[in-house]
């Protein structure tokens, strides 16, 4: 009897497969995007395919933002373009929006030039490659991807060929969660940025593994810290909406193993959203509030081997050294390690020479951090140079950040993802 019931239940389940799964026989486990540094303008550029017929679209990577946007004023042609009406499901998914003539809209913001203007919400086809975490697999398509149509001038300051921004913020409509929802992937993504302008780093949406040549699965060796939510969107956006960016709780900073004196009030996020630590691909070097910057610079200079001579600083840096006095190893210049200490003294993000030093010329090497002034919105903004060759996983579902520390320590790097499809 029970067996008959089980059989009937099985038949029932087979008939009533949810339509989203039934539509496609191939379900990817993760998606992969290439990302390349434009060294001239210090931006990270990724590429997706969009529209009908599909065309490649280059986008600047932004670890924040609510919607992917592209320039629709020039060269946007697609037979599948649709406009989102106010009150439509797509428009409602975005959260607070503006409405003009029944058309759902938003303000695309360019975090690099801080420009923005009203744009309409559109829906069109997007295509990306799937992955098993080792290679790219077949291309997969989302027919109804929600994005924002920006006008040409919002492109100001973006790398040549770039026609929009890939918003990787925490929200449902930003690129990671919109793609994750379309394929029922886990709500997480990882970025691994390469400092090289000639080879691709990688963004993987969904679960790991994250395998880099020679066969290093970086997902196995991540360290975790909670992701914090800043209740105030200091980037702009609608009043009362939380930030779309990724904050972590740095508790102290060590240089050469010794804690530097800091005003710890600056390290937490206050009720107005001021303070704390976040990630940004829009800044080339980590930006520190003045007192933190000065303390780090002083400690770093003091901890340098005495044979290293200081030379006149080269803007935007404040402490520079004679390159020839600094030894070098597999891990980059041999300098004191900087640790960002997180939830306890055993959990820290370490910054080795390859990520702390910027070689300005054959003669001059500088501490690659910059002064953010006395009243920045966020006290510590971890920027591109410090992210290079570190794999960072943003697990939105569990509000947790996973980080690898420098991959050079594991004898691999972000450009070692094998982009050759099987
Ligand atoms: C949008 O799609 C419609 C319907 O296919 C088409 O007539 C129109 O030219 C398209 N617009 C653009 C900008 O491609
Ligand atoms: C620490 O920083 C807070 C926030 O900027 C400021 O109000 C306070 O005066 C600072 N404390 C000291 C001792 O400088
Ligand atoms: C990358 O993947 C391709 C396809 O599987 C394989 O033939 C090639 O050997 C791999 N490259 C390296 C360097 O292992």
């Amino acid at each position: 009897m029970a067996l008959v019931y089980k059989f009937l239940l099985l038949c029932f389940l087979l008939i009533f497969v949810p339509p989203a799964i039934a539509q496609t026989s191939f379900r990817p486990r993760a998606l992969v995007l290439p990302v390349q540094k434009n060294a001239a303008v210090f931006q990270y550029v990724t590429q997706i395919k969009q529209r009908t017929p599909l065309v490649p679209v280059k986008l600047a990577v932004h670890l924040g933002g609510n919607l992917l946007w592209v320039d629709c004023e020039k060269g946007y042609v697609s037979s599948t373009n649709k406009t989102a009406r106010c009150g439509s499901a797509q428009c409602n998914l975005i959260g607070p929006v503006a409405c003009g003539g029944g058309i759902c809209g938003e303000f695309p913001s360019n975090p690099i030039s801080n420009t923005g203007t009203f744009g309409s919400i559109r829906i069109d086809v997007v295509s990306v490659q799937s992955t098993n975490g080792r290679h790219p697999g077949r291309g997969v398509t989302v027919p109804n991807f929600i994005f924002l149509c920006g006008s040409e001038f919002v492109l100001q300051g973006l790398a040549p060929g770039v026609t929009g921004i890939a918003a990787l913020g925490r929200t449902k409509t930003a690129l990671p969660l919109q793609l994750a929802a379309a394929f029922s992937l886990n709500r997480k993504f990882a970025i691994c940025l390469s400092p090289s302008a000639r080879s691709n780093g990688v963004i993987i949406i969904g679960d790991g593994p994250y395998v880099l040549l020679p066969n290093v699965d970086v997902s196995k060796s991540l360290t975790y810290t909670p992701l914090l939510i800043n209740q105030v969107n200091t980037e702009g956006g609608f009043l009362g909406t939380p930030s779309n960016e990724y904050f972590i709780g740095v508790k102290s900073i060590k240089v050469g193993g010794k804690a530097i004196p800091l005003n710890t009030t600056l390290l937490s996020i206050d009720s107005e959203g001021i303070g704390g630590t976040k990630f940004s691909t829009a800044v080339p070097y980590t930006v520190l509030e003045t007192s933190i910057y000065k303390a780090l610079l002083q400690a770093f200079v003091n901890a340098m081997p005495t044979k290293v001579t200081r030379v006149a600083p080269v803007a935007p840096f404040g402490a520079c050294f004679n390159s020839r006095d600094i030894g070098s190893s597999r891990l980059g210049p041999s300098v004191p390690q900087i640790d960002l200490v997180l939830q306890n003294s055993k959990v820290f993000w370490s910054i080795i020479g390859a990520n702390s030093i910027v070689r300005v010329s054959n003669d001059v090497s500088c501490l690659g951090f910059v002064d953010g002034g006395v009243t920045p919105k966020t006290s510590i903004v971890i920027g591109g140079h410090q992210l290079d060759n570190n794999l960072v996983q943003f697990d939105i579902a569990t509000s947790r950040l996973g980080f690898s520390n420098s991959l050079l320590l594991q004898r691999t790097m972000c450009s070692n993802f094998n982009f050759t499809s099987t």
Side-chain angles (χ1 to χ4, degrees), residues 37 44 283-286 353-358 368 383-388:
K37 190 170 195 164
Y44 297 92
V283 295
Y285 310 104
T286 296
N355 293 108
S356 63
I357 292 290
V358 176
H385 188 65
Q386 280 70 35
L387 288 167
D388 282 341

Side-chain angles (χ1 to χ4, degrees), residues 121-420:
I121 307 290
R122 300 272 186 102
I123 300 154
D124 209 337
V125 175
V126 157
S127 175
V128 296
Q129 276 183 300
S130 62
T131 184
N132 58 2
R134 295 174 175 272
H135 299 277
R138 68 168 87 171
V140 290
T141 296
V142 183
N144 294 311
F145 191 90
I146 307 165
F147 70 103
L148 185 57
C149 257
S151 53
E152 180 113 62
F153 96 93
V154 196
L155 296 178
Q156 244 170 56
L158 299 185
V162 169
T163 56
I165 299 258
L168 304 183
R170 281 191 311 109
T171 66
K172 282 185 204 145
T173 50
L175 187 69
L177 292 194
Q178 213 182 137
L179 290 178
F183 299 106
S184 311
L185 307 178
N186 273 335
R187 294 185 295 142
K188 62 174 87 152
F189 70 100
I191 61 167
C192 197
L193 303 173
S194 170
S196 160
R198 284 180 302 278
S199 42
N200 282 321
V202 62
I203 298 175
I204 292 181
I205 298 168
D207 274 323
Y210 312 125
V211 180
L212 302 174
L213 297 167
N215 203 23
V216 180
D217 178 3
V218 182
S219 68
K220 293 212 174 93
S221 58
L222 298 177
T223 300
Y224 296 97
T225 193
L227 276 173
L228 308 178
I229 294 176
N230 185 340
Q231 292 302 338
V232 185
N233 190 342
T234 51
E235 253 197 308
F238 285 86
L239 222 60
T241 55
S243 168
N244 303 323
E245 294 181 288
Y246 300 96
F247 286 75
I248 53 169
V250 171
K251 295 269 175 59
S252 66
I253 300 177
K254 286 182 178 171
V255 174
K258 279 198 339 221
I260 64 174
L262 292 179
N263 176 349
T264 52
T265 308
L266 296 166
L267 298 179
S268 49
I269 304 167
D270 75 10
S271 59
E272 271 142 39
I274 306 299
T277 301
K278 72 173 183 185
F279 293 94
S280 175
T281 43
V283 295
Y285 310 104
T286 296
V287 183
L288 303 171
E289 180 275 340
T290 294
S291 68
I292 302 175
Y293 173 77
K294 285 186 173 155
L296 176 73
L297 191 143
Q298 199 52 57
F300 192 81
V301 167
N302 292 347
M304 269 298 222
T306 45
K307 63 165 189 184
V308 178
T309 45
R310 229 177 133 175
V311 300
V314 176
F317 307 115
C320 297
F321 309 90
N322 186 334
S323 299
R324 293 167 217 281
D325 296 341
I326 302 176
S328 77
S329 75
R330 195 162 54 78
L331 309 180
S334 306
V335 296
Q337 182 170 309
I338 300 169
D339 295 325
L340 305 179
V341 183
L342 298 160
Q343 64 269 36
N344 64 57
S345 62
K346 292 195 188 76
V347 182
F348 47 88
W349 174 300
S350 9
I351 301 171
I352 60 166
N355 293 108
S356 63
I357 292 290
V358 176
R359 203 176 166 95
V360 178
S361 69
N362 283 342
D363 300 321
V364 181
S365 293
C366 302
L367 175 63
F369 289 75
V370 300
D371 186 346
V374 289
T375 53
K377 286 172 180 159
T378 304
S379 304
I380 302 177
V381 181
I382 301 174
H385 188 65
Q386 280 70 35
L387 288 167
D388 282 341
N389 280 330
N390 284 252
L391 185 138
V392 188
Q393 180 197 63
F394 300 89
D395 189 336
I396 303 169
T398 62
S399 224
R400 186 174 78 156
L401 179 105
F403 59 96
S404 65
N405 281 321
S406 176
L407 293 174
L408 303 182
L409 295 160
Q410 297 184 51
R411 296 178 182 270
T412 185
M413 52 192 173
C414 291
S415 58
N416 280 5
F417 185 78
N418 187 347
F419 272 99
T420 310

Side-chain angles (χ1 to χ4, degrees), residues 52 72 75-82 122 124:
T52 305
C72 281
Y76 191 100
V77 183
S78 173
S79 63
T80 45
N81 76 87
K82 293 191 277 291
R122 300 272 186 102
D124 209 337

